[in-house]
Amino acid sequence: MTILLIEDEKPLAEYLRGNLDVCGHGVDHVARGDDGLGLALSTPYDLLIVDRMLPALDGLSLVKRLRQAQNRVPVLILSNLGGLDDRVEGLNAGADDYLAKPFAFSELLARVNALLRRPLRGSDEPSLLKAGDLQLDRLKRKVTRSGQPIALQPREFSLLDYLMVRQGQVVTRTMLLEGVWNYSFDPKTNIVETHVSRLRSKLGGDMIQTVRGSGYMFRAPVPDAEVG
Ligand code: CA
């Protein structure tokens, strides 16, 4: 896994590079925004860690330019500005996560690992997921069963997307927390169970099965004609 770190504070850059290296992540480092953008566009990195305030090209403009170029590499923004508006601005610019300075290395590492585990939202990813008569359209954000629309809340939609991609595989609660809620910690609530249960009742049938002691498994609905 190779990470590109774009950070102009030298001591912080050295600290991050050293610690990420110990954790098995190779790091390339540049200090200027324009250099970082050029490198990110020419080299297939697994993740970018981008400081928000950079010489020559600021972090948010860098991310916007990357996304305009259809580059979907996961981006974690680091910033001295940690207010809600700043976070929202960062995410709207196309970043995947946002971490305010100062931060604990363990938190940065948890976020880095969560981003690296996520499947890339590349243009080669299908826009339509199908399982039996169930269809999920990622572009229109619509779910239908036998052509009949099923109204889902945004989080239920993401949950179904995550499960459908992993049909027939066991999906743990931790995977759902990280992949659907973007939590790198256990919130100690029944948030997952509640959403699974709501999704189940909206979908009907037995598509989301509980795997005792492990998690959940999505199975394509059996078409009526084949039943019995
Ligand atoms: Ca800076």
Side-chain angles (χ1 to χ4, degrees):
M1 293 288 187
T2 309
I3 296 173
L4 175 60
L5 171 64
I6 310 171
E7 168 62 77
D8 59 322
E9 282 175 51
K10 261 199 182 143
L12 178 61
E14 284 310 307
Y15 170 79
L16 289 180
R17 201 224 283 260
N19 280 282
L20 285 167
D21 187 60
V22 168
C23 299
H25 299 299
V27 176
D28 287 345
H29 168 239
V30 291
R32 288 168 54 107
D34 51 352
D35 293 343
L37 179 65
L39 207 50
L41 287 173
S42 61
T43 313
Y45 285 102
D46 298 299
L47 174 73
L48 262 57
I49 301 176
V50 181
D51 183 32
R52 184 165 171 163
M53 315 267 202
L54 288 168
L57 179 70
D58 72 273
L60 292 193
S61 303
L62 188 158
V63 177
K64 280 182 197 161
R65 301 261 282 269
L66 266 181
R67 299 311 187 218
Q68 277 162 12
Q70 304 303 318
N71 186 307
R72 299 271 145 219
V73 64
V75 175
L76 171 63
I77 295 266
L78 302 179
S79 176
N80 290 314
L81 308 170
L84 180 63
D85 287 352
D86 301 297
R87 285 167 187 263
V88 170
E89 209 184 341
L91 297 174
N92 281 342
D96 298 274
D97 203 356
Y98 193 103
L99 187 57
K101 295 177 180 179
F103 51 81
F105 179 74
S106 58
E107 184 175 8
L108 175 107
L109 184 64
R111 286 167 187 259
V112 162
N113 286 334
L115 287 171
L116 289 174
R117 272 194 297 270
R118 258 202 233 171
L120 261 187
R121 280 170 291 166
S123 51
D124 54 343
E125 228 181 53
S127 59
L128 198 64
L129 300 179
K130 291 182 188 174
D133 60 356
L134 184 72
Q135 284 202 359
L136 179 148
D137 187 325
R138 286 174 163 163
L139 298 179
K140 294 180 183 160
R141 294 193 69 82
K142 276 186 182 161
V143 173
T144 57
R145 183 152 187 210
S146 298
Q148 295 299 311
I150 299 175
L152 297 183
Q153 300 294 323
R155 195 72 78 177
E156 295 163 1
F157 183 91
S158 305
L159 175 60
L160 180 60
D161 186 316
Y162 192 92
L163 291 168
M164 284 181 82
V165 168
R166 294 160 185 80
Q167 286 182 47
Q169 299 170 27
V170 174
V171 171
T172 67
R173 187 169 181 277
T174 305
M175 287 166 73
L176 291 175
L177 283 171
E178 288 177 353
V180 179
W181 278 266
N182 206 16
Y183 285 171
S184 48
F185 57 93
D186 188 340
K188 305 283 181 200
T189 66
N190 60 357
I191 183 170
V192 173
E193 293 75 8
T194 310
H195 279 78
V196 166
S197 145
R198 278 216 306 263
L199 186 55
R200 258 186 193 140
S201 63
K202 287 186 179 181
L203 294 178
D206 198 14
M207 286 177 245
I208 307 173
Q209 298 172 358
T210 299
V211 182
R212 203 166 287 278
S214 308
Y216 303 96
M217 188 187 290
F218 180 88
R219 289 197 179 277
V222 180
D224 289 341
E226 286 177 23
V227 172

